Amino acid sequence: MQNYADAIRHLITRHATGLAVACIAGAGILALRRWMAGGVCRSKVRLDGKTVLITGANTGIGKETALDMAKRGARVILACRDVTKACIVADEIRQQSGNGNVVVKKLDLASLQSVRDLAKDVEENEERLDILINNAGIMMCPKWKTNDGFEMQFGVNHLGHFLLTNCLLNLLKKSTPSRVVIVSSLAHEKGSIDFDDIHLDVQYHRETSYRQSKLANVLFCRELASRLQGTGVTVYSLHPGVIRTELGRHLLPTLALWQRIFVTPIIMLIKSPAAGAQTSIYCAVDESQANASGLYYSDCAPKEPAPQALDDAAAKRLWELSASMVGLV
């Protein structure tokens, strides 16, 4: 034992500088990871007797948000395209939360008919809807079309949720106070709405499309909040942070090898899905935001969005265009 202790002391003495650097570097990495994890929702609000519907809840931040809602006692509806995967996740959430009131419903946001079918199902079979979390999304995909011929990112990220929310408004109003939470992105800051070529048929760039769809989310939140004033339904949009989820599955395979080598260690530092879900959870339950509506959030706090996201005329024009496209007028 004495020889072992002497060997340790010798090692420390001989490599003191290297060990100190390693410790400092390790502490720095841990501090950086904690800083990048961002804000945490501290609310202990229970949701017993409440119903929450989350789109895209079978993976990533949607799954973590669903788990949190289930732990609070809510009836949680996982509205997902992949029903088989969603059923597996629902079982996991039931086991982890101890809440058996977790159900799966089919929703393909790339199909307006699927959206209408889900909305009809919910209206006919659910007594209430207290929280709607528009979480599902697609990012940086090739030039694809939805079932209805819309550009995929705009169609799924904005139009599908636009129609779903409007179809469920009566139930949300019946269940007041209720909330609509819209997951957007910091990418909206570089976005613009091309009203003359909304599907980017003239010149498609996946980044431009994604940014447009995320700006549409924030503008939708703003206009919806304006239209719902005095109803008891409040609306929130948010940036969840840069997160390790499946959302980047269309982007990473297109990167060169050297880019993937460079990106991989960075990915290990960014938010986990659980950390990324915190702002969605905050907007859904935090008592301090009960009377707020139409605001944009990041790291569990209101933040100023990009100037183009504050354009009320653009928000109204986008609403009217979207309503025409999905058949609400």
Side-chain angles (χ1 to χ4, degrees), residues 89-203:
V89 169
D91 283 337
E92 293 176 3
I93 291 174
R94 293 185 198 108
Q95 292 174 11
Q96 293 178 39
S97 66
N99 181 351
N101 203 0
V102 179
V103 299
V104 173
K105 294 185 184 289
K106 171 76 174 179
L107 172 64
D108 182 356
L109 288 161
S111 164
L112 297 184
Q113 187 58 54
S114 177
V115 174
R116 292 190 181 95
D117 289 344
L118 171 70
K120 182 180 179 182
D121 179 350
V122 172
E123 283 196 315
E124 291 180 350
N125 297 295
E126 300 295 332
E127 295 182 358
R128 59 187 304 117
L129 179 60
D130 301 271
I131 303 170
L132 170 62
I133 303 179
N134 292 330
N135 166 83
I138 187 169
M139 184 178 78
M140 305 292 189
C141 66
K143 180 66 182 292
W144 292 343
K145 295 284 188 180
T146 68
N147 293 6
D148 304 281
F150 306 135
E151 188 275 313
M152 184 64 74
Q153 294 189 81
F154 186 75
V156 168
N157 296 349
H158 171 61
L159 290 175
H161 284 125
F162 176 86
L163 177 60
L164 178 64
T165 304
N166 275 281
C167 288
L168 294 174
L169 278 182
N170 287 337
L171 190 55
L172 285 160
K173 290 176 182 177
K174 175 185 172 184
S175 310
T176 55
S178 53
R179 302 190 186 193
V180 177
V181 178
I182 303 168
V183 179
S184 180
S185 169
L186 188 67
H188 87 273
E189 293 187 352
K190 294 185 177 180
S192 62
I193 306 296
D194 190 339
F195 287 105
D196 296 322
D197 183 26
I198 199 70
H199 299 302
L200 305 180
D201 291 322
V202 174
Q203 190 172 38

Side-chain angles (χ1 to χ4, degrees), residues 46 57-58 62-80 82-105 126:
R46 294 288 304 174
N58 61 340
K63 177 182 176 181
E64 295 295 336
T65 304
L67 176 59
D68 182 275
M69 299 293 108
K71 286 180 176 179
R72 294 174 188 271
R75 172 174 170 79
V76 182
I77 302 171
L78 313 183
C80 305
D82 189 335
V83 173
T84 301
K85 185 174 181 179
C87 287
I88 295 171
V89 169
D91 283 337
E92 293 176 3
I93 291 174
R94 293 185 198 108
Q95 292 174 11
Q96 293 178 39
S97 66
N99 181 351
N101 203 0
V102 179
V103 299
V104 173
K105 294 185 184 289
E126 300 295 332

